[in-house]
Amino acid sequence: MTVLSRDADLTAKGGLEPRPVRIVHLGLGAFFRAHQAWYTSEVDDDGEWGFSAYTGRSPRAAEELSAQDCLYTLIVRGAEGDDAQVMSVISEAHAANDLEGLCADLRSPDVSLVTLTVTEAGYGTDAKGALDRANDAVAADLKALEEYAAGTAGEGESDARLPQLETALARLVLGLDARRRSGAGAITIVPCDNLPGNGPLTRGVINEYAACLGAEAATWIKDNVSVTSTSIDRITPKATDADRATAQELTGLEDASPVVTEPFASWIIEGEFVGDRPAWEKAGAIFTDDLEPYENRKLWLLNGAHTLLANAAVNRGYETVAEAIGDREVRAEVEALWDEASRYLPDFVEANAYREALLERFENPHIKHLLSQIGNDSLAKLRIRILPIALKELEAGRGATGAVPAIAGWIRRQRDGVASPDAQQSAIDEARAKTGDGGVERALLELLEPELMNYSEFVERVIEAA
């Protein structure tokens, strides 16, 4: 069987020649390849917009893609069956720690955009959206940037002296400083993670890290780096061996790193672009001056339901979203969460129609969206997707019953040692350790959000449900 490569007998939208790198992406995962890469490919018939993409926590994706000339198969899986296309929009794939490559990319005046999908936990923020300086990786990166700035002489820079950095945003700031030194000009950052106000949050994190590099660098970054806000949506489950076999069957080529996604895609963007960008609106992206209502609709309804299913329905033995939503009791829990969230959404976002569409998407039996995958980093996700509505309901004197299954399910899974991996596991373990043999549930609830402890009836309902 022929391995997928640019020398193979195939066609791809935008051609097979490597495209000039004009966009840097941090967080080379399946969602990026089904979303930002897909939108770009759809509007780049002439092959003018290539990505240089950097991985998140593991170099594996970069290694697999590099071995096949950065090509991959995108399988769009609808109720009627599968459709496959070979994607050629990624020009280079790098491990996250390739700071030399990142700085070189960002020094290029041809690069006008950085897109981000580093996960909610990847921003290294606390519950209030500021840098979590108690986080070991964040603290280490702040120190490393300060030491790097102190040891940098003049305007020159030696890549051999680049610091070791753990967090994606610290690496980005280092690259932005390299751009400043090179005189490459202004640039736009496009965060595409499920965070409320992801633009202002990203701006704040960038500014905090940039302050470590000194006043000149911090001022340049503040004045020359624009940060947009986005709401993104496309269900993209983890590919399986069966999906790799499907990619081979549909294309006749062996692909070690295909991506499976649904037909639906949404990208809503607010903010200023200081340089060129692809015409993403031609593929359906929406540019708006008021993102927040659409952002909340997506975070509270789609992502909120996902987090509930991943922490509560999984305890009933279900493995996928489609299986779980078919359970009448589970669906009632999702609907209760949606009822509470919908109170805070304006009429023009058409929450009821969106809910109906979500149920159809969740029920798609061909999309094997694993609850174990969705459950990763649940502490950050609960804070972003579930807590805002719970606190609004409690402040209004209501019970916030819609939030109980998700929070109680997370506590139960942490207590019983069966939770999905979490980037903040050390903080979770520390909170548990302080309680000794009792009070684990209260300790985890307080870690999630101390303000919840002011509502004793809610606390007792959560503990009883856990």
Side-chain angles (χ1 to χ4, degrees):
M1 179 60 64
T2 303
V3 175
L4 185 60
S5 75
R6 296 184 189 265
D7 294 327
D9 183 15
L10 59 91
T11 59
K13 194 177 185 72
L16 289 173
E17 288 297 317
R19 308 181 195 200
V21 171
R22 300 182 67 187
I23 310 174
V24 169
H25 182 82
L26 303 187
L28 173 53
F31 180 78
F32 153 66
R33 293 189 281 151
H35 195 271
Q36 298 88 46
W38 175 81
Y39 271 96
T40 303
S41 179
E42 284 295 290
V43 302
D44 188 28
D45 290 341
D46 295 331
E48 296 178 348
W49 288 91
F51 283 90
S52 180
Y54 293 77
T55 62
R57 300 174 187 174
S58 166
R60 180 176 177 179
E63 294 166 354
E64 289 179 342
L65 280 176
S66 294
Q68 52 195 47
D69 296 338
C70 293
L71 302 179
Y72 65 96
T73 309
L74 182 67
I75 302 171
V76 179
R77 181 157 290 163
E80 314 297 313
D82 293 342
D83 178 64
Q85 63 182 111
V86 173
M87 305 288 288
S88 61
V89 71
I90 300 176
S91 299
E92 300 175 8
H94 305 263
N97 61 5
D98 183 5
L99 291 181
E100 182 176 351
L102 179 61
C103 288
D105 280 336
L106 288 174
R107 288 191 195 103
S108 170
D110 295 332
V111 171
S112 61
L113 300 167
V114 178
T115 53
L116 306 174
T117 54
V118 298
T119 77
E120 293 95 327
Y123 290 78
T125 56
D126 59 22
K128 303 303 181 184
L131 263 183
D132 182 3
R133 293 171 182 259
N135 179 302
D136 290 344
V138 169
D141 283 355
L142 289 167
K143 181 179 179 182
L145 288 174
E146 288 176 349
E147 292 176 348
Y148 169 75
T152 300
E155 292 300 302
E157 177 180 331
S158 168
D159 287 338
R161 296 181 52 260
L162 293 176
Q164 296 294 314
L165 298 172
E166 297 296 323
T167 64
L169 274 291
R171 292 168 178 152
L172 172 60
V173 167
L174 185 73
L176 292 174
D177 188 49
R179 187 177 184 87
R180 172 186 72 88
R181 294 171 181 275
S182 73
I187 194 168
T188 303
I189 312 298
V190 186
C192 299
D193 286 290
N194 289 313
L195 291 159
N198 58 17
L201 182 143
T202 301
R203 164 61 74 188
V205 171
I206 287 173
N207 287 349
E208 285 195 71
Y209 277 130
C212 299
L213 297 175
E216 184 177 354
T219 299
W220 186 92
I221 288 172
K222 188 175 296 185
D223 292 343
N224 291 275
V225 177
S226 179
V227 183
T228 68
S229 295
T230 68
S231 175
I232 44 86
D233 190 359
R234 198 172 200 185
I235 294 172
T236 307
K238 183 178 181 179
T240 65
D241 288 339
D243 296 324
R244 282 179 272 278
T246 297
Q248 183 170 314
E249 178 182 347
L250 293 174
T251 66
L253 298 164
E254 183 179 338
D255 184 352
S257 190
V259 175
V260 177
T261 193
E262 63 174 336
F264 179 89
S266 173
W267 197 4
I268 307 173
I269 305 170
E270 174 189 359
E272 177 187 6
F273 286 79
V274 294
D276 293 339
R277 65 167 177 83
W280 290 317
E281 61 272 27
K282 292 182 179 179
I286 296 171
F287 289 81
T288 181
D289 293 328
D290 187 12
L291 177 68
E292 185 176 5
Y294 297 98
E295 178 183 62
N296 288 340
R297 180 185 70 174
K298 197 262 181 172
L299 285 170
W300 297 344
L301 300 183
L302 186 150
N303 300 122
H306 272 172
T307 295
L308 185 155
L309 295 174
N311 285 283
V314 70
N315 294 324
R316 299 171 183 256
Y318 297 117
E319 295 184 355
T320 69
V321 169
E323 291 172 356
I325 204 65
D327 183 303
R328 184 177 302 176
E329 292 182 3
V330 171
R331 183 176 295 219
E333 291 177 345
V334 169
E335 295 278 11
L337 177 69
W338 284 353
D339 286 344
E340 293 180 355
S342 295
R343 291 192 181 108
Y344 305 96
L345 293 172
D347 292 342
F348 67 81
V349 303
E350 299 179 330
N352 287 337
Y354 187 76
R355 289 167 59 165
E356 291 177 8
L358 282 180
L359 287 175
E360 291 183 9
R361 295 167 64 194
F362 287 177
E363 290 169 344
N364 184 346
H366 303 297
I367 292 288
K368 306 295 184 185
H369 203 177
L370 296 176
L371 299 180
S372 58
Q373 175 193 5
I374 298 169
N376 291 345
D377 299 325
S378 278
L379 177 55
K381 291 175 179 177
L382 285 164
R383 286 171 171 167
I384 294 162
R385 305 171 176 186
I386 302 295
L387 276 181
I389 297 303
L391 292 172
K392 288 178 185 292
E393 288 288 281
L394 292 169
E395 290 165 4
R398 291 187 284 266
T401 55
V404 171
I407 296 174
W410 171 73
I411 289 174
R412 173 181 171 181
R413 295 183 67 73
Q414 284 291 343
R415 181 193 63 206
D416 297 347
V418 293
S420 295
D422 200 301
Q424 300 184 63
Q425 194 62 49
S426 60
I428 296 169
D429 292 342
E430 183 178 348
R432 291 181 58 187
K434 290 179 179 178
T435 66
D437 296 329
V440 170
E441 294 83 2
R442 289 181 184 275
L444 291 176
L445 194 56
E446 185 170 10
L447 172 66
L448 178 65
E449 175 50 65
E451 189 176 342
L452 292 175
M453 308 310 288
N454 297 329
Y455 301 96
S456 58
E457 292 184 7
F458 179 79
V459 171
E460 293 305 320
R461 283 200 304 274
V462 170
I463 291 175
E464 182 179 353

